[in-house]
Amino acid sequence: MTSTKLVELRNPDEEGALRPPLLVFVPPGMRASAEDSFGVATFEQLSLSDVHTHLKASLLREVPDALRPAVTELLERLRAEDWPAANGQAVVRYLLTLRENDFDLQAAGAAVFLLGLIPDFELFNDMTLVARKADRNRRSVARLTESAATDRQRILALGLPQNSRAHQAFVRRLVEFAADAGLDEPSSWCRAIAVDEENWPLAFHLWPQENAPGDETVGIEVQDLSVLPKAGQNQDDLRNHPALERLFGAQYLLPGGLSSLPVSFTVEPDARHIPGLARFAVQIYAESETDGDDGTTTASPTGFTATVSVTRTAKTLYKSSVKLKKGRKPDWEEGWHFVRVTPLDTNGDPMPVVGAEGTQRPHESDRFYVVPEGEFDDPRSVGPSMPPAWLRHSTSCASPPGPRAATPHGSPAATSAGVPRPRRPGP
């Protein structure tokens, strides 16, 4: 389209009537002649810098309720780790791929190659294990990509078990695959596993593991955070922060007021008798609402964390203290927060927790509100059966009866459903 035609379409028609709004995409660096009157002086310039953020929020609302928390946790976890492949564009493509494949669970696991992870057709079979599997996947990709060694040396350095013929055959096949595909670009070789049926045996859910006992379920219950005051109890705080009146007896935290946050939690059964369990991560999470009216929230780690090792003596009550970095108030953001205790196996991977998939999560504390300096806003209370579309659209291969692969769309962090503040969500 010429610049003259563009200006014509902007102006009223022959009868003087206004035309519909005109949206124009101008290539970068394009220069118009002096007589052309289009530019920021005559057109409103729209910024697309946050388009992926808005698209992500909109697409997440389309994900079914049963799948949305696990998908959100996966994305938030990659964001918290600053995983380079999971940028805004990649996340949008991933969510579009889920929608393109009718939110099929196997397709959702296969499509993680768009996020720089190894396809895992069983990633979403158990929603409580998504974070653990994704973490192990991410670490494996990082070790295979960031090393200066040869591809074969990188694979052997993973330490995959080779104590059976099947395990040995898997490692040989992975070495042969790496020799052909290379390991320097995860976006390339992870995609090759997803789209080529011959490479499906290398999907991450088939990788041999030493510590299968880490799949044991752990029972954890976080005790009350009794050190935190409740709104209305401290008159000085109430005078200095009038907005505390709107917290209605909820617990709150003034950054800089505490040097550490004591946390106690019980473990069942005896932690010493849980195969694979090595320690516990005690982390403070910040909670924020996603766009929309359904009250869905996203939980992101704040960086305030502590680690507790499993003791050699019998005990059910564990105690920890999370350092709050007194004096570094910018580390905190206003809003609802909570403590989450996560059991870790000998590899540092999260283990499944009893009740983690429900609305009542015993391994999480009650919510407390972080009060910044000065005034703040009112606290808010929110409460394989089909052919693989990816192969169908992108290759000439027939649809096999195996795992369904994903249809990546060509377009450009843990969640908890509506939590009544400040208590843990009830059933």
Side-chain angles (χ1 to χ4, degrees):
M1 177 183 296
T2 64
S3 56
T4 302
K5 183 65 175 179
L6 177 62
V7 174
E8 177 186 338
L9 293 175
R10 179 202 62 188
N11 295 334
D13 60 21
E14 295 80 359
E15 298 179 358
L18 293 177
R19 301 178 190 269
L22 178 65
L23 178 63
V24 182
F25 293 92
V26 181
M30 182 177 178
R31 296 290 184 269
S33 55
E35 64 272 12
D36 292 331
S37 58
F38 78 90
V40 294
T42 53
F43 281 81
E44 180 180 357
Q45 182 170 305
L46 301 178
S47 173
L48 300 180
S49 59
D50 57 352
V51 65
H52 290 120
T53 300
H54 291 299
L55 274 173
K56 172 187 173 183
S58 176
L59 291 169
L60 273 175
R61 289 196 295 270
E62 298 183 31
V63 179
D65 293 342
L67 180 60
R68 188 187 306 125
V71 170
T72 306
E73 182 176 16
L74 168 66
L75 299 178
E76 286 300 318
R77 215 167 181 88
L78 295 176
R79 183 192 63 80
E81 295 293 338
D82 199 22
W83 188 239
N87 55 38
Q89 182 182 18
V91 168
V92 168
R93 291 190 65 198
Y94 176 72
L95 293 173
L96 287 171
T97 298
L98 264 60
R99 187 176 69 178
E100 183 76 10
N101 287 272
D102 299 322
F103 303 103
D104 177 77
L105 296 186
Q106 286 188 341
V112 296
F113 78 88
L114 292 166
L115 304 173
L117 300 179
I118 303 167
D120 184 342
F121 297 110
E122 297 182 2
L123 176 61
F124 294 99
N125 282 10
D126 186 340
M127 301 297 178
T128 65
L129 297 179
V130 170
R132 176 190 178 193
K133 293 179 178 179
D135 283 347
R136 186 166 57 238
N137 193 325
R138 174 182 52 79
R139 286 197 295 268
S140 297
V141 173
R143 294 179 65 181
L144 289 172
T145 304
E146 298 170 0
S147 173
T150 66
D151 292 339
R152 182 177 184 277
Q153 290 171 334
R154 298 181 195 182
I155 293 173
L156 295 179
L158 290 175
L160 297 176
Q162 300 188 53
N163 50 6
S164 70
R165 291 184 177 180
H167 290 171
Q168 294 169 5
F170 178 89
V171 173
R172 286 196 301 269
R173 184 164 190 166
L174 186 58
V175 170
E176 293 171 357
F177 168 79
D180 292 333
L183 297 177
D184 291 334
E185 296 294 336
S187 59
S188 175
W189 62 268
C190 290
R191 179 182 184 276
I193 294 177
V195 305
D196 191 340
E197 179 185 356
E198 293 186 359
N199 294 329
W200 285 358
L202 297 177
F204 198 68
H205 64 281
L206 298 176
W207 283 40
Q209 300 174 31
E210 287 281 9
N211 63 325
D215 289 333
E216 293 288 334
T217 302
V218 185
I220 297 176
E221 183 170 358
V222 177
Q223 307 298 298
D224 291 338
L225 303 176
S226 56
V227 70
L228 295 180
K230 294 183 178 180
Q233 291 181 338
N234 188 307
Q235 295 303 314
D236 289 337
D237 288 348
L238 196 60
R239 283 192 296 271
N240 295 331
H241 305 277
L244 285 174
E245 297 178 358
R246 297 191 287 272
L247 290 178
F248 304 109
Q251 289 182 304
Y252 65 92
L253 172 67
L254 299 177
L258 290 175
S259 60
S260 61
L261 178 63
V263 178
S264 300
F265 58 95
T266 58
V267 181
E268 291 185 0
D270 188 332
R272 300 173 304 162
H273 301 153
I274 301 177
L277 178 60
R279 57 190 181 277
F280 302 92
V282 183
Q283 298 172 293
I284 297 179
Y285 280 74
E287 200 167 60
S288 58
E289 289 184 351
T290 58
D291 294 339
D293 301 325
D294 58 357
T296 301
T297 60
T298 296
S300 305
T302 60
F304 298 107
T305 182
T307 302
V308 183
S309 297
V310 173
T311 62
R312 296 182 179 180
T313 58
K315 64 183 301 185
T316 58
L317 180 64
Y318 282 77
K319 296 182 179 181
S320 177
S321 185
V322 182
K323 293 183 179 180
L324 301 182
K325 304 177 184 178
K326 185 176 181 180
R328 294 182 57 188
K329 298 176 184 178
D331 287 331
W332 290 99
E333 292 184 2
E334 173 197 345
W336 293 104
H337 292 66
F338 64 92
V339 174
R340 175 184 294 167
V341 177
T342 305
L344 304 176
D345 63 18
T346 52
N347 283 348
D349 295 324
M351 297 175 64
V353 179
V354 176
E357 71 282 0
T359 54
Q360 182 97 16
R361 300 178 180 86
H363 66 306
E364 295 179 358
S365 73
D366 295 335
R367 271 55 180 169
F368 60 90
Y369 204 87
V370 170
V371 184
E373 291 294 330
E375 291 298 322
F376 59 93
D377 297 332
D378 289 348
R380 293 172 295 178
S381 178
V382 299
S385 58
M386 58 182 288
W390 163 245
L391 296 178
R392 185 173 64 246
H393 291 180
S394 305
T395 74
S396 58
C397 297
S399 172
R404 281 167 288 187
T407 306
H409 200 286
S411 300
T415 297
S416 55
V419 248
R421 308 308 196 274
R423 303 296 298 175
R424 280 198 298 263

